[in-house]
Amino acid sequence: MNDKENVAQTVSRNSLFTMVYNVWYLGTRLIFTPLILSYITLEEYGLWAYCFVVLSYLALTAFGFNNTYIRYTADYRSRGKDEKVNELLSTGIFSMVGMGLVLFLLFLWLLPTLIPILGINPELTRTAHRLFVGTAAIFVLNFSLAGYQCVLEGEQKIALVKKIHLFASVVELGLLLLFFRLGMGVFSLLWAYGIRFGLIIVLSLIFAHRVFPFLSVRIRHLRLEALKKFADFGGKMSFLGLLSLLINSVDRIFITRILHLESAGLYEIGRKLPNIGMMLPSAVAGTLMPAASHLEGSNQHDRLRGIYLRSTRYIMLLSGLPYAFLIFFAPQIIEVWVGPGYEGPAHVMQILATGTLINLFTGSGTACVRGMGLPGYEIQYMGLSALMLLGLTPFFIHLYGIQGAAWAYTLAQSAGSLYFLHRANTLFSIAWRQFIGMTVPPVLLLFAAGLPVLLVCQRIWAPLAPSRWPGLALLALFGCAHLFLALLLILVFRDRLFSADEKQKLTQFSLPGPIRPLWKKLWSAP
């Protein structure tokens, strides 16, 4: 990790494996949602989603601890201070086990009071209690022992971590099918979820000791210095996590209180794909934090500036096509996915996809400022978004229902994102004209490629009135046409969109024999 090539190769490899896992996760959740709804009611599905809204607040402390593990493991390893990694991990795990037990017991004590406050229907009280207790136990166990996974990420073994998650996810889906067939209903989701995270914890522990032969979690390694790092940097990141959870849950909390669980289930259908879609482009950003810590620690600020700008550009290149497709074809996607009669979730999907796409411009910058130890930049922009959400969401819900909640989210995230980009571009000395010139044109081009396909869809979809499988085939055809037109436009404007260095790297892609000469010719500099 001492030269430019190693940093670039590590980030690229980690991003690739993260994208592979995220594509798998996105695809399986897309396929399994209709299956889940065939075994459980919409209210039970909304309740399962609501468990994660409530219990995410229980894991706030873990958010700060996990980011502290990653940042300081990268820092210590870059300076050869292995004993500090042991001190960090030991202090973190012992602290989190104790804190997790206290939080779990406190949650059990508050739960009988909490369920009526949340507006859950009385007939679902027993089911809700069991789901909350089960998911809380899984949350506590996971964040108490998450240090093993985080030190792997700090060492930039993110590809290995994603392989572990992929294996555990495959097991989870197999068990989910088995449990549904056994008649376990909504609790199938709970048991499959718990086993998945049990596997992740065990495998992370095993591989952490293989990667770090010196690793030792002992009481004698406890250090006040390490605890101060968790309290300082970790505390700021926990507050950031609070803001993030507030932004990502306040809409569903207000919907449940004002419109009840069925509307929350409908809203969850509309938000699932835009939310899952974030994982594909954010795979690039997720690998940047340890790399940014390494570059900041070795005073390589110019390279860090370049990584910020280029990775933002690549994130938007990755995100433009799927989000354009979600926005353009949301009614057809919803109809094929869960059936006709879900116009509300389709509009929610379009609105949230727009807000999420704008927010993705911040993905690279937030990873870089975290790695640099500057979480204040992120706290300020998310604080602005959170305040706007709290003010706008109930008002918009009363006016426009679940679509109003989506509009409140989109407006708040857009305002906060623009503020963050202003701060980040100032930090890295990048003019707005340069930033927009590098990141926005690819997105506009990818949207433009979908317009002809959208016009064709609007003319033929309603007369054909396809059922699920023919509709899925038709959507796949539209997707291929969108992709083809996007590639065609990229090739036409390649000299304006890509630098000579980027085109040179594209010629190095390994493609099948007959295509390789043509591919190299297309991307060769004139």
Side-chain angles (χ1 to χ4, degrees):
M1 278 281 300
N2 293 323
D3 57 72
K4 181 177 180 179
E5 192 63 28
N6 283 341
V7 173
Q9 287 179 354
T10 300
V11 171
S12 298
R13 182 175 63 253
N14 287 336
S15 298
L16 175 62
F17 277 97
T18 304
M19 282 188 285
V20 169
Y21 171 74
N22 288 348
V23 167
W24 159 262
Y25 189 88
L26 188 156
T28 54
R29 266 50 193 177
L30 176 64
I31 293 169
F32 269 75
T33 296
L35 175 69
I36 291 169
L37 290 174
S38 70
Y39 282 98
I40 64 176
T41 67
L42 190 60
E43 278 197 325
E44 287 176 327
Y45 183 67
L47 180 59
W48 173 249
Y50 203 34
C51 283
F52 291 87
V53 175
V54 175
L55 289 168
S56 292
Y57 290 89
L58 189 65
L60 278 177
T61 305
F63 183 79
F65 269 62
N66 291 352
N67 280 276
T68 306
Y69 284 129
I70 295 169
R71 166 163 166 66
Y72 286 102
T73 297
D75 180 50
Y76 293 148
R77 289 288 286 170
S78 68
R79 295 187 281 130
K81 295 188 174 182
D82 292 345
E83 74 283 355
K84 292 287 187 181
V85 177
N86 282 335
E87 293 172 5
L88 184 75
L89 185 61
S90 298
T91 304
I93 286 181
F94 280 111
S95 299
M96 286 304 295
V97 167
M99 193 177 304
L101 287 173
V102 171
L103 289 173
F104 183 67
L105 293 173
L106 181 62
F107 179 74
L108 291 182
W109 179 60
L110 292 173
L111 189 56
T113 306
L114 185 63
I115 288 177
I117 292 175
L118 295 174
I120 295 170
N121 292 339
E123 61 267 23
L124 288 175
T125 297
R126 181 176 175 82
T127 300
H129 189 277
R130 292 173 64 187
L131 287 176
F132 275 122
V133 171
T135 48
I138 295 166
F139 268 56
V140 168
L141 180 63
N142 181 45
F143 70 62
S144 295
L145 300 176
Y148 291 102
Q149 175 183 312
C150 294
V151 295
L152 287 171
E153 293 183 23
E155 182 68 0
Q156 301 200 56
K157 299 293 184 182
I158 297 172
L160 172 60
V161 171
K162 294 305 175 185
K163 290 176 184 178
I164 292 172
H165 279 257
L166 179 61
F167 171 74
S169 178
V170 172
V171 173
E172 178 193 25
L173 293 178
L175 290 174
L176 190 60
L177 286 173
L178 174 63
F179 294 155
F180 274 138
R181 293 293 181 89
L182 293 174
M184 294 171 62
V186 70
F187 298 106
S188 303
L189 295 163
L190 175 64
W191 281 102
Y193 180 76
I195 293 170
R196 170 190 165 196
F197 274 96
L199 279 173
I200 290 172
I201 291 168
V202 171
L203 291 174
S204 296
L205 188 153
I206 292 170
F207 282 103
H209 281 280
R210 289 186 181 180
V211 171
F212 306 106
F214 61 84
L215 204 61
S216 172
V217 176
R218 299 286 187 274
I219 292 178
R220 68 173 184 271
H221 294 316
L222 298 180
R223 293 292 184 276
L224 182 61
E225 177 192 0
L227 190 60
K228 287 180 179 178
K229 285 183 168 53
F230 285 112
D232 181 17
F233 183 77
K236 292 174 182 176
M237 294 306 297
S238 291
F239 182 65
L240 180 59
L242 172 63
L243 292 175
S244 178
L245 287 171
L246 187 64
I247 289 169
N248 287 290
S249 64
V250 70
D251 47 4
R252 287 172 286 170
I253 291 173
F254 278 122
I255 286 171
T256 303
R257 289 294 301 163
I258 299 170
L259 304 176
H260 306 303
L261 273 175
E262 185 173 347
S263 295
L266 291 171
Y267 188 79
E268 182 66 19
I269 292 171
R271 75 179 288 276
K272 184 172 285 291
L273 287 182
N275 191 50
I276 291 177
M278 287 184 67
M279 296 188 301
L280 177 59
S282 64
V284 178
T287 64
L288 288 178
M289 182 180 169
S293 294
H294 173 81
L295 294 174
E296 173 69 12
S298 53
N299 295 315
Q300 300 183 62
H301 299 293
D302 287 340
R303 288 176 59 194
L304 187 53
R305 176 181 181 272
I307 283 180
Y308 161 68
L309 194 56
R310 287 193 302 275
S311 57
T312 302
R313 170 180 168 82
Y314 299 149
I315 285 171
M316 300 320 296
L317 271 168
L318 285 169
S319 59
L321 190 69
Y323 276 92
F325 194 78
L326 284 180
I327 292 168
F328 287 158
F329 301 99
Q332 292 77 26
I333 292 170
I334 291 290
E335 184 177 332
V336 168
W337 185 27
V338 293
Y342 289 90
E343 290 79 10
H347 293 142
V348 167
M349 179 185 291
Q350 291 174 317
I351 298 165
L352 291 180
T354 302
T356 301
L357 179 65
I358 294 169
N359 183 240
L360 283 172
F361 278 93
T362 69
S364 172
T366 54
C368 287
V369 295
R370 288 183 191 184
M372 296 168 70
L374 299 172
Y377 280 75
E378 210 174 347
I379 289 172
Q380 290 175 15
Y381 109 79
M382 295 187 77
L384 173 62
S385 295
L387 287 174
M388 288 186 65
L389 266 175
L390 288 170
L392 294 176
T393 305
F395 176 68
F396 275 45
I397 288 175
H398 280 294
L399 286 178
Y400 307 112
I402 60 174
Q403 295 176 45
W407 274 117
Y409 175 88
T410 294
L411 291 172
Q413 283 288 68
S414 299
S417 298
L418 289 172
Y419 175 74
F420 174 81
L421 290 174
H422 166 71
R423 295 290 313 280
N425 289 341
T426 302
L427 174 67
F428 290 108
S429 302
I430 296 172
W432 268 108
R433 183 176 181 180
Q434 180 186 8
F435 181 84
I436 292 172
M438 286 197 69
T439 60
V440 174
V443 178
L444 295 179
L445 182 145
L446 294 168
F447 270 76
L451 289 173
V453 187
L454 176 62
L455 292 175
V456 173
C457 175
Q458 289 176 338
R459 286 181 176 273
I460 69 172
W461 187 274
L464 289 176
S467 57
R468 173 166 289 172
W469 292 111
L472 181 60
L474 197 56
L475 266 182
L477 183 62
F478 291 149
C480 290
H482 190 176
L483 176 61
F484 174 78
L485 290 176
L487 291 174
L488 185 63
L489 286 177
I490 287 172
L491 287 172
V492 169
F493 295 102
R494 62 188 181 277
D495 293 332
R496 292 178 177 271
L497 289 173
F498 299 98
S499 66
D501 182 58
E502 288 173 329
K503 288 190 287 185
Q504 174 61 31
K505 289 179 179 178
L506 283 167
T507 63
Q508 298 172 4
F509 272 77
S510 179
L511 294 172
I515 303 175
R516 191 179 301 119
L518 176 62
W519 178 264
K520 287 189 175 182
K521 185 177 180 180
L522 287 171
W523 291 105
S524 296

